[in-house]
Amino acid sequence: MVVTSALNWPGAVGPIYASGMTPKYVDVSVLDGCVDDRHAAEGFEDGAVAALVPHLFGNFTRLPQMRSAAHRRGLPIIDDCAQAMGGILRYGCDPDFYSAAMTSSGNGSKHLGAGELGVLCTKNADLIEHVDLVSLSSSSRDHERVFSPMTYGYNYRPNVFSAAIALSRLPDLASQIEDRVSNSTYLWRSLARLPGLRPLFDESETANSFCVLPLRLVPSEIDLPEAACIRDRIVTLLKAEGVPMDVWLRKPVWEYMAFDRPSLDPAAFPNTDLLLSTICHVKEVAPPNDHRVMRLFAEAFEKIWEDMPALKDWLVRPS
Ligand SMILES: Cc1ncc(COP(=O)(O)O)c(C=O)c1O
């Protein structure tokens, strides 16, 4: 069994099955949408042999209880930083940080924005060899091409154009993340006074890299029913005002699996359940957008919030 989050990207969970293992889903924290530290640590007590930890929306979660439970047993943790590359920059080289590998994505919506490619950072030579075995038929190591005729032949190589873009963007990654942090902090400070809006990130975590600005709606604070359709309608209104809003997943991850879909009770994952009906996020917080653009986004939120009494009938109408 491999501990992983109930709020998760299906493409990250599939490889657990592909490795002949079974996910052990645990609930998330409402602070940042990432796996709940205590539940994840308990997963190791219940017999899990590894953890695959998604760091969502740009949030990096340190998980001290889970890491020490894994460390005590010598079990691996893989940090999925596809949405949170800042975690790799901050903790990847920290010898005291317990992680077997940190992975990331070159997908266009992420920090590298390079097309399609994957990144695996590890110091574990056996793991690199294993990844070569299951993915590549030939690869570049120490400036030489190495052929691996024993591979499974999946050929998960990045294409050369994506790889070239990713490499060219690496030197500016830290400064890109600084701008994302600055834009997101500025925007959140402007939005914080609006009732019914909460941050979905730990404001004290310095490794957050804001793939997006994640938010949570609490409709009851603005006298509206707690329902996913209310969140969706507010997002529609904000989009109509030009704010690049989106809603991520709407179901627990196992419901997206094409095979071996377990029947788990969502009530056993109350935070995941709550977030699935209340989360939304603002995209386009990356440079070249700046505080001036963030101000325009904030003004659109303010406009919708001011008009909320007049919009109420539309927001609560039956579907
Ligand atoms: C949390 C998470 N993990 C893994 C992935 C997979 O990355 P890729 O699109 O490069 O396969 C994604 C992609 O969106 C993701 O959001």
Side-chain angles (χ1 to χ4, degrees):
M1 277 190 311
V2 178
V3 171
T4 198
S5 301
L7 181 67
N8 209 330
W9 180 245
V13 175
I16 297 176
Y17 288 98
S19 312
M21 305 175 99
T22 316
K24 177 174 179 51
Y25 297 109
V26 295
D27 205 4
V28 295
S29 155
V30 281
L31 178 67
D32 59 10
C34 299
V35 70
D36 176 272
D37 194 15
R38 186 173 56 83
H39 291 318
E42 284 166 3
F44 282 110
E45 268 140 43
D46 290 349
V49 295
L52 175 67
V53 178
H55 298 268
L56 300 178
F57 315 114
N59 294 334
F60 190 82
T61 177
R62 280 178 270 173
L63 303 168
Q65 293 182 55
M66 187 201 74
R67 283 184 211 277
S68 79
H71 196 177
R72 274 198 306 278
R73 295 167 174 81
L75 296 172
I77 293 171
I78 295 178
D79 287 283
D80 173 0
C81 297
Q83 300 185 15
M85 258 198 122
I88 303 182
L89 295 194
R90 170 68 183 78
Y91 291 107
C93 294
D94 180 345
D96 296 326
F97 193 76
Y98 189 77
S99 174
M102 293 183 159
T103 59
S104 198
S105 164
N107 175 272
S109 63
K110 313 289 192 316
H111 297 84
L112 282 180
E116 296 296 342
L117 60 83
V119 175
L120 178 110
C121 303
T122 181
K123 296 193 188 82
N124 184 325
D126 291 341
L127 186 53
I128 292 173
E129 196 180 322
H130 175 75
V131 170
D132 277 1
L133 179 72
V134 293
S135 61
L136 299 164
S137 292
S138 70
S139 52
S140 178
R141 293 272 172 265
D142 300 325
H143 309 289
E144 280 187 42
R145 181 158 291 286
V146 177
F147 288 94
S148 325
M150 295 297 287
T151 68
Y152 287 77
Y154 292 146
N155 249 5
Y156 289 144
R157 279 182 299 203
N159 70 71
V160 287
F161 293 112
S162 293
I165 293 170
L167 286 172
S168 73
R169 288 175 64 105
L170 274 181
D172 292 332
L173 187 58
S175 108
Q176 181 207 133
I177 290 174
E178 260 174 42
D179 289 349
R180 286 175 178 272
V181 172
S182 169
N183 283 341
S184 301
T185 309
Y186 176 89
L187 180 53
W188 171 244
R189 292 215 173 114
S190 312
L191 301 181
R193 62 177 188 82
L194 301 179
L197 267 187
R198 295 262 214 292
L200 184 61
F201 56 93
D202 177 353
E203 293 179 63
S204 66
E205 176 52 71
T206 53
N208 288 343
S209 49
F210 293 95
C211 198
V212 292
L213 173 66
L215 301 169
R216 181 161 72 87
L217 281 169
V218 188
S220 59
E221 282 184 5
I222 37 178
D223 210 15
L224 289 166
E226 299 279 348
C229 65
I230 301 291
R231 179 265 320 265
D232 293 344
R233 286 169 189 169
I234 292 175
V235 166
T236 302
L237 291 169
L238 288 163
K239 277 178 159 173
E241 291 299 323
V243 188
M245 296 292 296
D246 233 333
V247 173
W248 200 49
L249 302 184
R250 292 161 187 276
K251 298 188 279 191
V253 69
W254 57 83
E255 290 193 25
Y256 292 99
M257 303 312 293
F259 46 84
D260 284 349
R261 205 176 299 151
S263 58
L264 297 168
D265 181 4
F269 304 86
N271 291 345
T272 300
D273 206 35
L274 174 73
L275 291 184
L276 286 168
S277 59
T278 54
I279 49 172
C280 57
H281 58 259
V282 185
K283 300 181 289 186
E284 315 297 351
V285 294
N289 283 353
D290 55 11
H291 288 194
R292 199 179 44 84
V293 179
M294 298 303 119
R295 176 96 294 276
L296 295 173
F297 294 169
E299 281 166 15
F301 270 83
E302 285 155 8
K303 179 175 171 193
I304 300 295
W305 255 248
E306 267 163 37
D307 287 346
M308 209 58 96
L311 291 165
K312 193 171 172 194
D313 286 350
W314 182 81
L315 286 167
V316 299
R317 79 196 192 286
S319 314

